[in-house]
Amino acid sequence: MRAYDIAIIGAGPAGLTASIYGERAGYSCVVLDPNPMGGGQIINTYQVDNYPGLPGISGMELGNRMKAQAESFGAEFLTERVLTIEKDTDFFLSTDKDKIKAKAVILAMGAKPRELGVNGESDFREAGVSYCATCDGAFFRNKDVAVIGGGDTALIDAIFLSRFASVVYLIHRRDEFRAAASVVDQALKIDKIKPIYNTVVDSIEGDMSVSSLHLRDVSTGKETNLSVRGVFIAVGTVPVTSDIAGLPEMNMGYIVADETGITSVPGIFAAGDIRTKKLRQVVTAASDGANVITSADAYIRSKL
Ligand code: NAP
């Protein structure tokens, strides 16, 4: 069994920032994530325009840089999935490979794409249905695709996909996008991006792969078929809390915690998109990662 001062679950901006602050505070930190690449959700974001000081950086590059910075301070990274957390005097984490002992635990598992929940979605997964434009966009060169959603992810995905696709239909259930105004302006200036407002997808159809979407106008009830070869679903995220046993109190799947990261279990802290909060951004995840180390430090010292 390996022992550390702080075990951090999740290598997104919250977990990586916690590991940087933790190591700089003199604690041995291990970061556990089944994905060997640092960055969490941001590795799927083609361009991050609002992280201070690094305008236009790709999510992949930002994640790589944060991980390299954490490693330079001594943080250790293990490509392991945490299955259970048990508390004794210390914490014991069982992973899919080993056991880890730690004085404090930071939950920073983040969130994953929400499914749309319509017929055909699971049938055509990886056969035209995607949740990651940056991963799969290039497969749709000169083809018609659709993006579903009206938030920053949907709009940024549509902008990215317009590099490859012939037409990008941007299908949103309301008549106004939720994304930042600057992103909306940028997207709507691109001729290839065709917004379709007040419309929902009732089903995704095809044979071996996606060939069309069955759409419904929510204001008129009119139903239509739209021919597309790819559909990129960007309808928000859900917290990644379902696969670990022994977690603190949750609300709708999010760990209940404020900016301090303090949860219902002393010694377990939460940072980033995984916790109850209003604004889920890279900068607020990084902020949580710093704050949570102050709380973990106070907890560890109180046990001395
Ligand atoms: P989001 O902001 O929650 O937006 C989800 C979108 O999907 C909304 O427009 C919502 O419609 C729509 N939606 C939800 N359920 C739906 C359903 N069942 N059918 C049809 N449409 C549905 O999610 P997000 O865009 O993934 O962003 C998540 C967070 O990350 C946000 O805080 C965002 O600002 C941030 N983010 C930032 C960047 C960046 O700055 N570079 C990039 C990506 C994401 P309504 O609008 O009607 O609710």
Side-chain angles (χ1 to χ4, degrees):
M1 183 179 338
R2 289 155 296 170
Y4 301 86
D5 293 323
I6 303 176
I8 299 163
I9 309 176
L16 293 173
T17 307
S19 69
I20 292 167
Y21 276 72
E23 288 286 341
R24 282 175 57 86
Y27 292 112
S28 61
C29 295
V30 64
V31 183
L32 299 135
D33 196 307
N35 187 338
M37 288 169 67
Q41 291 173 86
I42 58 164
I43 61 175
N44 297 333
T45 300
Y46 135 74
Q47 191 169 310
V48 180
D49 272 332
N50 54 5
Y51 193 75
L54 298 168
I57 190 167
S58 78
M60 179 89 73
E61 172 71 7
L62 184 56
N64 285 341
R65 285 201 201 183
M66 286 185 182
K67 186 178 178 196
Q69 194 175 352
E71 280 171 329
S72 76
F73 287 121
E76 199 173 316
F77 286 79
L78 298 176
T79 309
E80 297 184 24
R81 182 181 295 282
V82 175
L83 304 173
T84 60
I85 303 170
E86 285 169 65
K87 186 175 183 182
D88 197 341
T89 317
D90 287 317
F91 290 92
F92 295 90
L93 281 60
S94 300
T95 77
D96 52 357
K97 295 189 182 144
D98 206 349
K99 272 206 159 207
I100 307 277
K101 181 177 161 187
K103 294 174 185 162
V105 176
I106 292 171
L107 306 173
M109 296 87 78
K112 63 181 178 187
R114 176 185 285 133
E115 292 181 2
L116 195 53
V118 298
N119 280 342
E121 182 175 13
S122 54
D123 302 335
F124 296 114
R125 214 175 172 134
E126 290 172 29
V129 171
S130 172
Y131 301 85
C132 179
T134 49
C135 317
D136 301 328
F139 297 126
F140 295 89
R141 200 173 289 278
N142 302 322
K143 298 197 165 87
D144 292 357
V145 300
V147 175
I148 319 298
D152 283 311
T153 302
L155 277 280
I156 291 170
D157 282 359
I159 293 167
F160 178 73
L161 289 165
S162 69
R163 290 178 177 193
F164 309 100
S166 317
V167 177
V168 182
Y169 297 105
L170 183 53
I171 301 169
H172 183 35
R173 64 183 177 184
R174 291 190 293 127
D175 62 355
E176 193 183 23
F177 292 116
R178 175 184 292 275
S182 60
V183 180
V184 175
D185 285 351
Q186 198 189 337
L188 297 184
K189 278 190 190 131
I190 299 172
D191 288 342
K192 277 187 187 179
I193 298 180
K194 313 277 183 210
I196 301 179
Y197 299 102
N198 295 316
T199 297
V200 293
V201 176
D202 274 343
S203 61
I204 301 170
E205 289 162 15
D207 185 8
M208 298 297 282
S209 60
V210 170
S211 60
S212 67
L213 302 177
H214 193 77
L215 304 180
R216 182 167 38 89
D217 185 312
V218 290
S219 43
T220 63
K222 191 177 167 207
E223 297 182 24
T224 48
N225 267 324
L226 180 72
S227 175
V228 290
R229 301 305 302 275
V231 53
F232 290 84
I233 296 171
V235 295
T237 55
V238 289
V240 184
T241 43
S242 56
D243 24 343
I244 302 180
L247 293 179
E249 182 192 344
M250 289 182 252
N251 181 359
M252 313 241 306
Y254 292 94
I255 306 286
V256 176
D258 64 10
E259 288 72 18
T260 63
I262 293 171
T263 71
S264 62
V265 179
I268 301 186
F269 304 90
D273 284 9
I274 199 75
R275 78 170 178 87
T276 48
K277 66 193 308 193
K278 277 199 177 147
L279 186 61
R280 294 192 169 85
Q281 296 280 313
V282 182
V283 73
T284 62
S287 162
D288 279 6
N291 276 321
V292 85
I293 290 300
T294 305
S295 303
D297 178 44
Y299 171 80
I300 293 171
R301 282 173 188 276
S302 75
K303 298 280 159 195
L304 294 177

